[in-house]
Amino acid sequence: IEMAASRRIADTYGVYALPAFLMFYRGGLVYAGQLGGEKIRVASEFKPYKMLYVESTFADMIWGEKLLRKLRFSWDLCSSASEAQNLKQVAERASIEKGERKAAYDVVLVADSLALSDAGPLQRLFKQGDGDALVVGLAALKGPNGALQLSKARFNSKKQGLTKDVEAVLPSHVASICDLAMTKPLKGGALEDLLEVLGERRQAQADSDGAPSQDLDYRGLTTKSLMRKCYSALQAGQSGRTISDPSKQKKRKKIPLAPSYPVTKKWTFPAPPLDQKIE
């Protein structure tokens, strides 16, 4: 109900703050409040996924960055393993200074044009030790051979943009370090599938760490807490415990204002009569 249109309900039930929730059972008021009185876990704000984009083809760089700007990514761009190592060290120091987890990147995009000598260093950077980044290969499939490779891969994601059959579409040295693969140039549907996978990974990590849920559909009030409050209101109504009419309850006393100091009187003189001359 829009309170700005009419004050009748607000005055009747004593609504002093918005949003306000009123629950009735057979015409009797059983709950009136903001549903925020109990301590509940609040979901943290969404943080953009950090990406490392390893691409040596200039045209594909430009097209890829155009799509990444439209989605929730924060990325660093490089063309070799040595540049990736430097960027990772800088990103890790920035994460430590902000008090975040040490992992520098959530996802690493690796093009199939990666040099054979760079595959080993990238594998040591992101797939060994404390590396937990999701590595996704970018496959440029062209011509009859590309169509044959594409037919061997199964794209089972929601938008059919990601595949786990990395050996079918990527060179062997790139497939050895990749968890998933997508075709290039980048497509919006594939990046949306990637966002969904990253969200599931972030949720699983939060569950393992005992952190609050990363569900972004609510802020503070969860579905379980709402249903629990509705159930308690139903029990109150069935047992006859209703809230008395707030409009008939005694209102809070108004605190009188402090008396103001008297204003100094200004003296006025009557005007002289019309028949009197003033010399």
Side-chain angles (χ1 to χ4, degrees):
I1 298 174
E2 180 60 41
M3 292 296 179
S6 175
R7 293 286 306 172
R8 182 178 179 181
I9 293 181
D11 296 336
T12 302
Y13 297 105
V15 177
Y16 299 105
L18 296 178
F21 298 87
L22 304 175
M23 297 183 185
F24 298 88
Y25 180 79
R26 293 185 178 179
L29 182 64
V30 293
Y31 177 81
Q34 280 75 38
L35 290 177
E38 61 180 2
K39 294 182 179 180
I40 55 179
R41 298 191 306 177
V42 180
S44 61
E45 293 293 331
F46 176 79
K47 295 182 180 179
Y49 298 110
K50 295 177 291 185
M51 171 188 290
L52 179 64
Y53 186 16
V54 185
E55 176 64 74
S56 58
T57 306
F58 184 72
D60 292 336
M61 286 182 186
I62 297 176
W63 176 256
E65 288 188 310
K66 285 182 179 179
L67 286 180
L68 293 177
R69 288 190 186 97
K70 296 180 181 179
L71 298 174
R72 299 175 290 184
F73 285 106
S74 174
W75 72 94
D76 292 329
L77 184 63
C78 66
S79 59
S80 63
S82 58
E83 295 178 3
Q85 183 176 5
N86 295 334
L87 290 173
K88 183 184 178 184
Q89 293 175 354
V90 174
E92 284 180 348
R93 286 196 297 266
S95 299
I96 294 174
E97 291 175 358
K98 293 179 182 178
E100 301 175 352
R101 61 191 184 93
K102 187 179 179 181
Y105 298 105
D106 298 300
V107 58
V108 181
L109 297 184
V110 181
D112 58 356
S113 57
L114 181 73
L116 182 62
S117 58
D118 288 337
L122 283 181
Q123 185 176 12
R124 289 189 293 270
L125 282 174
F126 300 107
K127 305 304 293 183
Q128 296 179 1
D130 58 351
D132 59 349
L134 179 69
V135 181
V136 181
L138 304 178
L141 304 179
K142 299 178 182 179
N145 292 333
L148 180 61
Q149 290 178 286
L150 193 63
S151 63
K152 296 180 180 179
R154 294 168 296 176
F155 291 83
N156 298 325
S157 56
K158 187 176 182 180
K159 301 277 187 176
Q160 296 186 351
L162 292 176
T163 179
K164 295 182 180 179
D165 299 329
V166 293
E167 296 84 0
V169 295
L170 294 172
S172 58
H173 67 284
V174 179
S176 62
I177 62 175
C178 292
D179 304 302
L180 299 171
M182 65 174 67
T183 60
K184 74 172 189 178
L186 294 178
K187 299 176 180 60
L191 290 178
E192 290 178 8
D193 287 339
L194 181 58
L195 281 174
E196 188 172 350
V197 173
L198 291 173
E200 294 175 356
R201 284 170 58 91
R202 180 175 285 184
Q203 180 66 55
Q205 184 180 7
D207 293 339
S208 62
D209 296 341
S213 174
Q214 297 288 338
D215 189 357
L216 303 177
D217 295 333
Y218 62 85
R219 287 293 183 271
L221 181 63
T222 65
T223 304
K224 291 182 179 179
S225 62
L226 175 61
M227 298 304 297
R228 188 164 52 248
K229 185 64 69 175
C230 292
Y231 181 71
S232 61
L234 176 62
Q235 287 182 324
Q238 291 175 345
S239 60
R241 291 181 283 112
T242 59
I243 301 175
S244 58
D245 191 352
S247 62
K248 297 180 181 179
Q249 296 180 2
K250 294 182 179 180
K251 296 183 179 180
R252 292 176 293 182
K253 295 182 179 180
K254 294 183 179 180
I255 301 175
L257 298 176
S260 58
Y261 293 99
V263 181
T264 305
K265 184 177 180 180
K266 295 182 180 180
W267 296 97
T268 58
F269 298 92
L274 298 177
D275 58 348
Q276 184 177 356
K277 294 182 179 180
I278 301 176
E279 295 180 0

